[in-house]
Amino acid sequence: MEEKKIDLNSIIGFVLIFGILIWIMYQNQPDPKAIAAEKAKKELVAQAAKAKELAQKSIEKAAVAVATTGDSTQLAQLQKTLGNFAYSATLPSAKGDFTTIENDLVKLKIANKGGFIVEAVLKKYEKFKKGSGQLVELIKDNNANLNITLQTSDNRSLNTKDLYFEPSISKVGEDQILSMKLKAGANEYLEYKYILKPNDYMIGFDVRSQGLNKVLNTAKPLDLEWSLKTYRNEKSISYENRYTEVYFEHEEGKIDYVGQGENKEESAEKTTYVAFKQHFFSTILLTNTPFEKSKLLSNNLVHDEAVDTIYTKQFKAEIPLAFTNGELDYKMNWYLGPTDYKTLHSYDKNLEKIISLGWGIFGWINKFIFIPLFGFLSSYIAYGIAIIVFTILIKIAMSPITFKSFLSQAKMKVLRPEITELGEKFKKDPMKKQQETMKLYNKAGVNPMAGCIPALIQLPFMYASFQFFPSAFELRQKSFLWADDLSSFDEVIQLPFRIPLYGDHISLFPIMAAIAIFFYMKMTSGDQQMAAPQQEGMPDMAKMMKIMIYVSPLMMLFFFNSYGAGLSLYNFISNLITIGIMIVIKKYFIDSDKIHAQIQENKLKAPKKPSKFQQKLQEAMEQAEAQKAQRNKK
C-alpha cells in the first residue's frame, strides 16, 4: 500500500484560506464609534419619546384639574402648550370616556381622546373557526390610530390623537349620528361626524372645521395619518397574510396596490379610497373629494408562523387634507366589513376590485362565469356539494375541447411510425427531416398544434380557479365532510413538528388531489410520448414527462397543504372527471384503425394549402438552413 504523504501545497492553501477568513472577520468588525453613535441615537429617540409622554401626562393632568376645579394656573399652563385648543381641555368631556354606536352588523366604540374608533366589532362573524365564541374585531387594543397634525397660526404643532373631543349623539330617522368636536372656542372646532345606518357596514365619516381659519395655518394642507396593525382572524396566519395588502383607487377608477413584503411604499395621486384588506375582512376609507397625493406603506409582520401568531401586517396611510376657503370640508366613509364580492359590489364604488380575481381573461372568467354560476348553485345546495356540481358543469362545458385534444394525440400516435421512418431516413439532414415531416402532416390533414390549442384554452379556466376559491368569502367556515372550513386547510392529523414548506399538519384533500393528478398524468404521458417523437436538438420530452409524473403530485401536496380545502376539492374532482372523460373518449369515440384509414385517404387527396403558421414555419426553417450554409462556407 502506498504511504500517504503530507501535501505541502494543501497545507499552504488551508493556511492562506484561514488567514483570509481572519482578515475578513477583522475588517468586518463593527466600528466602536459607529456603535456608540447608534446607541446615542437610540437613547435620544427614547428620551424624546419619554419627554413627549411626560408632557402629554402633564397636559392631561392639567386638563383634569381645570375641568374639575377650574384651576386658573393650570389653565394658563394649558394655554401656553395648546393655545386656542386649551379650551377643549376645560370641558367636562376632557377625560378618557367612550361613546358606543351599533347596528345589527357592527359595533363601534369611539374615544373622547382623539375622537377616533378604538373598537370595531363585526357582530355576524367569528374568528379562527365557527363556534369559537370570539367575534371578529378589526380594531381593538390600540392596533389602529387616526391623527391629524394641526399647524396653528401661532406656530404650534398639535396632534388630534392627544386632544379631547366633545361627543354628542343624535338620531335622524333610524340613522345614528355621533358628532365629535375638538373645540378651540364655543363655536370654533374641528368635527368628526360618524353616521351609522341600520344594517349597513358603510359608516358616514365627515371631517370639517368651523371658525378655525384664523386658528390654523391654512397655507398648506393638514397631514392625516391613518394606521392599522391587522389582527389575525383565520386558522392559517400564513394563508391569511398572503391575501392581506393595501389597495387604493385613483380618481379615474384605476385600482392599484402597494405589494407584499418588508416596508413596501407607494405614492398615490387623486386617491378616492384606501383599503386595508385582510383577506376576508377590510377597513376602507373612501372620500368624495380625492386626496391629492398620499403615501401608503405596508410592512409584513409574519416572519415565522409558529411564532408570529397575532398580527399579519402593519399598514399606514399619510394623506393631505386641503383647505377650502380657510376651512376643512371632507365627506368621507368608513367601510368596516367582510371582503365579500357581492357586499362590496352592492355599494357601486368599485370596492369589489380589491378582491384579486386575476387580470384580463382570468378576471372575466371569474366575474362573468365562476361567480354567477357558483353563487346560483350555492343558494340551493350545500357549499361542498356546490363545488362538486360546479366542477362537473365546468368540465362538461370543456369536454369538446378535451375531445379535440385527445383526437389530435390519437392522430399523431398513428403517424408516429412514419415520422420515425423520416427521422431515420434524413438523420444527417435535420432541416430536410423537418420539411418532410411538415409535408406529411399536410398530406395527412393533421395539425401538430391541434393538441396544444385545446390545452391552452383550458389553462385560463384553471388559473381562474386559483384566484376564485381563495377569494370566495362564502366558503369561510362552511363545512364539508371532514373539513370544518372550506376556506382554510382540512387538517386531519396535527404533527408534533413542522416540515419546511409543508407545515405542522396533514390535509386530506390535497393528498386526494395529488393522487388524482398522478393517475391522470400516468394515463396521458404514454399517449403524449407516442404522439410526439423526439426531435433532434430538442429536450427529451419522454424523460421530462416521466419526471413530471412524480414532481407534479408532490408540488400539489406541498403547495396546497395550507391552502383552502375548497380549492383542493375542486382540483381533486376536476382531475377525477377528466380521467373519466378520457376513459370514455378513448373507449367509445376514438378508433385508431378508423383514424389510420382516414389519414391514408387524406394522403391520396390533393395536398391542402399550408396554413399561414406552416408557411411561416417553413420560411423560418429555410432561412435558418441558408444561414447555416453561409456560415459553413466561411
Side-chain angles (χ1 to χ4, degrees):
M1 183 180 290
E2 185 180 354
E3 184 181 348
K4 291 183 179 178
K5 297 180 181 179
I6 297 173
D7 188 348
L8 185 61
N9 290 333
S10 297
I11 294 173
I12 293 170
F14 281 121
V15 169
L16 288 173
I17 291 170
F18 182 73
I20 291 169
L21 289 172
I22 295 295
W23 181 80
I24 290 172
M25 290 171 65
Y26 176 77
Q27 288 295 318
N28 285 300
Q29 278 187 329
D31 185 359
K33 290 182 180 179
I35 293 173
E38 184 65 26
K39 185 178 180 182
K41 185 179 177 181
K42 287 181 179 179
E43 287 176 354
L44 284 173
V45 170
Q47 288 173 5
K50 189 174 182 180
K52 187 177 179 181
E53 184 182 350
L54 290 172
Q56 183 58 32
K57 285 183 178 179
S58 176
I59 291 170
E60 290 176 3
K61 185 178 178 182
V64 170
V66 172
T68 54
T69 65
D71 190 326
S72 58
T73 305
Q74 297 287 1
L75 178 60
Q77 180 186 336
L78 285 174
Q79 288 173 335
K80 185 178 179 182
T81 307
L82 304 178
N84 292 65
F85 288 100
Y87 180 86
S88 65
T90 66
L91 303 173
S93 56
K95 54 186 177 181
D97 284 351
F98 306 91
T99 305
T100 299
I101 56 175
E102 61 183 303
N103 60 21
D104 291 339
L105 302 179
V106 296
K107 180 180 179 182
L108 306 176
K109 187 176 177 182
I110 295 94
N112 286 9
K113 186 180 179 182
F116 57 85
I117 301 169
V118 292
E119 285 185 17
V121 181
L122 302 184
K123 299 163 76 172
K124 299 291 185 181
Y125 301 104
E126 294 176 293
K127 58 184 177 182
F128 306 137
K129 63 180 182 178
K130 192 173 182 178
S132 69
Q134 303 177 67
L135 294 177
V136 170
E137 298 169 287
L138 298 181
I139 301 173
K140 69 168 185 174
D141 298 337
N142 300 314
N143 73 315
N145 191 25
L146 182 75
N147 178 63
I148 297 177
T149 305
L150 303 174
Q151 302 295 339
T152 66
S153 54
D154 54 358
N155 295 320
R156 286 183 173 86
S157 182
L158 305 174
N159 292 309
T160 59
K161 66 179 181 178
D162 298 326
L163 304 176
Y164 288 96
F165 288 65
E166 182 182 55
S168 65
I169 191 164
S170 60
K171 289 193 77 174
V172 176
E174 294 186 353
D175 297 350
Q176 301 172 64
I177 299 174
L178 174 62
S179 172
M180 304 292 294
K181 292 179 179 177
L182 172 61
K183 292 189 170 182
N187 295 305
E188 300 167 338
Y189 54 81
L190 172 69
E191 181 186 33
Y192 295 165
K193 184 188 285 185
Y194 298 90
I195 304 166
L196 182 62
K197 297 178 180 180
N199 200 39
D200 201 344
Y201 292 107
M202 189 71 74
I203 298 105
F205 180 62
D206 298 346
V207 176
R208 72 181 191 94
S209 64
Q210 179 174 300
L212 297 183
N213 54 337
K214 292 181 180 178
V215 176
L216 298 177
N217 178 6
T218 60
K220 61 178 183 177
L222 297 181
D223 294 325
L224 181 148
E225 182 180 293
W226 169 39
S227 63
L228 182 68
K229 197 174 182 181
T230 56
Y231 276 106
R232 168 195 180 185
N233 290 307
E234 309 305 325
K235 188 161 62 173
S236 171
I237 192 168
S238 59
Y239 189 52
E240 179 180 3
N241 195 41
R242 187 177 293 121
Y243 298 98
T244 298
E245 52 192 323
V246 179
Y247 282 84
F248 56 96
E249 183 194 48
H250 300 286
E251 189 177 24
E252 63 273 15
K254 181 185 175 185
I255 307 297
D256 210 337
Y257 60 94
V258 174
Q260 303 273 359
E262 304 290 327
N263 299 313
K264 294 294 182 178
E265 183 180 315
E266 193 75 36
S267 294
E269 296 184 0
K270 300 288 184 181
T271 311
T272 50
Y273 72 68
V274 175
F276 292 168
K277 174 177 175 281
Q278 297 175 241
H279 194 187
F280 287 130
F281 300 96
S282 293
T283 308
I284 308 173
L285 179 63
L286 305 93
T287 177
N288 292 350
T289 305
F291 304 130
E292 282 298 322
K293 191 167 185 178
S294 309
K295 187 165 79 170
L296 308 173
L297 302 99
S298 173
N299 186 34
N300 179 41
L301 301 178
V302 181
H303 304 286
D304 182 351
E305 64 177 293
V307 178
D308 306 319
T309 59
I310 299 174
Y311 302 102
T312 52
K313 284 191 172 67
Q314 173 72 60
F315 294 144
K316 186 163 71 171
E318 296 175 1
I319 297 166
L321 299 180
F323 288 94
T324 303
N325 299 323
E327 301 287 357
L328 287 180
D329 189 10
Y330 276 82
K331 302 288 185 186
M332 297 191 283
N333 292 92
W334 290 110
Y335 174 85
L336 298 108
T339 313
D340 174 43
Y341 186 89
K342 291 179 183 177
T343 304
L344 294 173
H345 182 68
S346 68
Y347 290 105
D348 196 26
K349 293 181 180 292
N350 282 337
L351 299 182
E352 71 278 4
K353 290 187 177 180
I354 70 171
I355 299 174
S356 180
L357 297 176
W359 55 270
I361 189 172
F362 312 117
W364 299 340
I365 290 170
N366 275 322
K367 189 174 180 180
F368 299 113
I369 300 176
F370 282 12
I371 290 176
L373 178 59
F374 189 74
F376 172 77
L377 293 171
S378 59
S379 63
Y380 290 99
I381 53 180
Y383 284 92
I385 302 298
I387 291 174
I388 294 173
V389 175
F390 171 83
T391 312
I392 292 170
L393 292 175
I394 294 295
K395 296 308 290 185
I396 289 174
M398 301 295 289
S399 59
I401 297 171
T402 307
F403 175 76
K404 286 186 178 180
S405 178
F406 290 150
L407 181 62
S408 176
Q409 286 181 17
K411 288 181 178 180
M412 293 291 290
K413 186 177 178 181
V414 170
L415 280 179
R416 182 180 174 88
E418 295 182 53
I419 294 170
T420 304
E421 187 180 331
L422 288 173
E424 290 296 324
K425 185 176 180 181
F426 300 103
K427 193 173 184 178
K428 296 183 179 180
D429 191 347
M431 183 59 64
K432 185 67 175 174
K433 182 181 75 173
Q434 291 286 356
Q435 290 173 345
E436 292 301 319
T437 301
M438 293 303 294
K439 285 180 183 178
L440 176 63
Y441 287 150
N442 191 34
K443 283 181 181 179
V446 173
N447 184 353
M449 297 298 293
C452 300
I453 294 171
L456 290 174
I457 293 172
Q458 293 181 73
L459 276 177
F461 286 84
M462 183 183 72
Y463 181 78
S465 72
F466 280 80
Q467 299 294 110
F468 170 72
F469 283 100
S471 301
F473 180 84
E474 53 266 52
L475 294 181
R476 186 177 186 269
Q477 295 182 359
K478 299 299 189 299
S479 61
F480 180 65
L481 299 178
W482 56 85
D484 58 4
D485 186 349
L486 286 167
S487 72
S488 189
F489 56 82
D490 58 309
E491 173 190 322
V492 290
I493 297 176
Q494 177 69 40
L495 300 174
F497 50 85
R498 181 174 294 276
I499 302 173
L501 303 177
Y502 186 73
D504 59 357
H505 63 274
I506 295 175
S507 299
L508 186 52
F509 277 132
I511 294 174
M512 293 166 65
I515 292 170
I517 285 177
F518 174 79
F519 282 106
Y520 166 71
M521 296 194 72
K522 193 80 173 172
M523 290 175 71
T524 57
S525 61
D527 287 343
Q528 289 173 353
Q529 291 167 27
M530 289 292 292
Q534 170 68 16
Q535 300 292 328
E536 189 173 332
M538 298 294 289
D540 191 338
M541 296 303 295
K543 288 183 180 178
M544 289 180 67
M545 284 304 299
K546 284 180 181 177
I547 295 170
M548 289 305 295
I549 287 172
Y550 300 97
V551 170
S552 294
L554 280 175
M555 288 175 63
M556 166 67 73
L557 207 58
F558 276 81
F559 186 70
F560 283 87
N561 190 58
S562 293
Y563 260 63
L567 181 58
S568 298
L569 173 61
Y570 171 83
N571 278 282
F572 167 65
I573 298 297
S574 178
N575 283 290
L576 205 62
I577 293 169
T578 303
I579 290 170
I581 290 174
M582 188 170 65
I583 291 171
V584 170
I585 289 174
K586 283 185 174 181
K587 189 171 183 179
Y588 297 104
F589 293 96
I590 293 180
D591 188 327
S592 297
D593 293 334
K594 285 185 179 180
I595 291 172
H596 184 268
Q598 184 63 50
I599 288 174
Q600 299 309 315
E601 186 180 331
N602 288 343
K603 287 181 184 179
L604 299 175
K605 297 177 183 177
K608 293 181 181 179
K609 184 180 178 182
S611 65
K612 288 184 179 179
F613 171 78
Q614 289 174 323
Q615 288 176 350
K616 289 191 181 228
L617 186 62
Q618 182 69 24
E619 289 170 7
M621 287 191 295
E622 288 173 356
Q623 287 176 5
E625 187 67 22
Q627 289 173 0
K628 183 180 177 182
Q630 189 69 25
R631 285 196 299 269
N632 290 338
K633 285 181 181 179
K634 293 179 181 179

